[in-house]
Amino acid sequence: MGDTGAARRGRRPAGQDTRAVVLDAARAEFLERGYDAASVRGIARRAGVDPGTVRHWYADKRELLTAMLGIAPLDPAAMVQGVLPGAVEGMGERLVRGVLGLWDDDSGATVRLVMPAVMADPDLRGLLPGFLGAEVLGPVVARLGVPDARRRASLVASQVAGLLMTRYLVPVEPLASMPVEEVARLVGPNVQRYLTEGLD
Amino acid sequence: MGDTGAARRGRRPAGQDTRAVVLDAARAEFLERGYDAASVRGIARRAGVDPGTVRHWYADKRELLTAMLGIAPLDPAAMVQGVLPGAVEGMGERLVRGVLGLWDDDSGATVRLVMPAVMADPDLRGLLPGFLGAEVLGPVVARLGVPDARRRASLVASQVAGLLMTRYLVPVEPLASMPVEEVARLVGPNVQRYLTEGLD
């Protein structure tokens, strides 16, 4: 966990040290309690600091997890805010465009860095569905007010996860090199079916 | 494991037999110990041969893993033969059923073993599209005689890769626990659109 004596006694060590202690504590808290149950308060307690010290660097547990995974400055919440406004019928395309907008900027370098690391670690793997569900798919599907939201969200996850994989990690052409707009046009309607159309 | 009495006593059986015994041993070693901890020496021991015999065919454990991608019970070629016959309209559902049929048998243990190891190794990653294209998607899409076969195949790959990921590796519920028939009914039409419907 990287607790220092100072941290345990509640004194506040210098910046970078405390920050590392906080990230260690976040890792322990996430792995032990899962994303949903983890809290900034619990992480602060583990780190031996007060919650305000944690919030000095990380606004909420989402920022802590993205920092832990090395995926800051990706901001899924801002992406979701770009997807929600507008007609429900265009939501599939907007979601595809938003997801690619998050990761296309650095030509997928972050995905190539983070995805294998997360995949290789069964504990980290276990955190992903909770994180993506709470931060990305949950808000989008909740907006629809459909009764089988959880089932639809898991189907959308299957398409989005595979899109990230085949565009950035294991590049399958021509999908990997297509302009974002072409991908949105091709994949968007499939995401739309999962989101809003009759499934059974 | 397929150990024969001869192999256990250390005698070296004829070529193809030994090779099959080595692959069986590699599978057992990888599944039991994981990719990182597995070793050519350990695989040789299981197979009842010396490490030099293993290296006669496979330079290292990466090559063994690659070879394993194509061995029973994973037999993509046989799966494809189950998908091709029948009406073109049902091909999406049959493909989903066939893919899950390959990996559901061991509750996804092979996917959980192979996928992270492949993801973590840029060389192995590079092999995957070629392997899946040649063995699975190529024959299916070729059957359709569509002009933009490569583009369609890459889109199908994006859905199938994500389905494997969210069903076996990073289980997203309820998709991860659904009966195969329900997944085929839900995901099949999306695969079908990629395969045969107008896309632009």
Side-chain angles (χ1 to χ4, degrees):
Chain A
M1 276 215 21
D3 265 355
T4 66
R8 273 196 301 272
R9 282 191 305 273
R11 278 195 286 117
R12 179 171 165 178
Q16 286 312 307
D17 287 350
T18 309
R19 196 165 178 165
V21 168
V22 165
L23 281 180
D24 276 353
R27 186 182 164 82
E29 169 94 354
F30 283 131
L31 291 181
E32 194 176 310
R33 311 194 61 203
Y35 183 77
D36 287 339
S39 69
V40 167
R41 181 169 298 274
I43 290 164
R45 199 180 309 120
R46 280 176 199 266
V49 301
D50 60 275
T53 303
V54 174
R55 292 208 181 84
H56 174 67
W57 291 294
Y58 306 104
D60 49 31
K61 64 178 178 178
R62 177 179 59 76
E63 286 195 4
L64 275 158
L65 188 74
T66 50
M68 219 187 86
L69 297 178
I71 56 184
L74 298 185
D75 188 348
M79 186 277 278
V80 168
Q81 287 313 310
V83 170
L84 291 182
V88 163
E89 301 74 48
M91 205 179 262
E93 284 198 25
R94 291 201 301 279
L95 183 62
V96 171
R97 218 179 280 125
V99 165
L100 297 189
L102 276 183
W103 280 289
D104 255 25
D105 274 349
D106 62 358
S107 307
T110 304
V111 173
R112 277 193 298 281
L113 175 77
V114 172
M115 225 165 154
V118 171
M119 296 298 102
D121 182 332
D123 292 329
L124 281 184
R125 253 159 37 200
L127 292 176
L128 265 194
F131 175 72
L132 293 176
E135 301 296 341
V136 180
L137 297 176
V140 170
V141 178
R143 158 74 186 278
L144 300 172
V146 283
D148 48 354
R150 227 171 126 252
R151 190 169 73 154
R152 290 179 186 277
S154 70
L155 291 165
V156 173
S158 79
Q159 174 63 82
V160 169
L163 180 59
L164 295 179
M165 214 171 123
T166 50
R167 187 164 170 94
Y168 304 120
L169 191 62
V170 183
V172 178
E173 297 297 350
L175 178 61
S177 303
M178 279 176 194
V180 170
E181 277 310 308
E182 186 177 355
V183 181
R185 207 170 61 236
L186 295 173
V187 178
N190 278 23
V191 173
Q192 188 71 36
R193 173 172 171 268
Y194 288 151
L195 285 172
T196 60
E197 293 173 29
L199 293 173
D200 287 298
Chain B
M1 278 217 19
D3 265 354
T4 64
R8 274 196 302 271
R9 282 192 303 275
R11 278 195 284 116
R12 179 171 166 176
Q16 287 313 308
D17 287 349
T18 308
R19 196 166 180 165
V21 168
V22 165
L23 282 179
D24 276 353
R27 185 182 163 79
E29 170 97 350
F30 283 132
L31 287 175
E32 194 173 304
R33 310 195 61 203
Y35 183 73
D36 285 339
S39 69
V40 167
R41 181 170 296 274
I43 290 163
R45 199 180 309 121
R46 279 176 200 268
V49 301
D50 60 276
T53 303
V54 175
R55 293 209 180 83
H56 174 68
W57 290 294
Y58 306 105
D60 50 35
K61 66 178 177 179
R62 183 177 59 78
E63 284 196 8
L64 277 158
L65 189 75
T66 320
M68 246 187 69
L69 291 172
I71 65 169
L74 298 187
D75 188 347
M79 185 276 277
V80 168
Q81 286 314 311
V83 170
L84 291 182
V88 163
E89 301 74 48
M91 205 180 262
E93 282 198 27
R94 292 202 299 279
L95 183 62
V96 171
R97 218 178 280 125
V99 164
L100 297 189
L102 276 182
W103 280 289
D104 256 25
D105 275 350
D106 63 359
S107 308
T110 303
V111 172
R112 276 191 299 279
L113 170 77
V114 172
M115 229 165 151
V118 169
M119 296 299 102
D121 182 332
D123 291 334
L124 276 186
R125 257 165 26 205
L127 295 176
L128 258 197
F131 176 75
L132 292 176
E135 303 293 340
V136 179
L137 297 175
V140 169
V141 178
R143 158 74 186 278
L144 301 172
V146 285
D148 47 354
R150 231 173 122 249
R151 190 168 74 154
R152 290 179 186 277
S154 70
L155 291 165
V156 173
S158 79
Q159 173 63 81
V160 169
L163 181 59
L164 295 180
M165 214 171 123
T166 49
R167 189 164 169 93
Y168 304 120
L169 190 61
V170 184
V172 179
E173 297 296 349
L175 179 59
S177 304
M178 278 177 195
V180 170
E181 277 311 308
E182 185 177 357
V183 180
R185 206 170 62 236
L186 296 172
V187 178
N190 278 24
V191 173
Q192 188 72 34
R193 172 172 172 269
Y194 288 151
L195 285 172
T196 60
E197 292 172 30
L199 293 174
D200 285 301

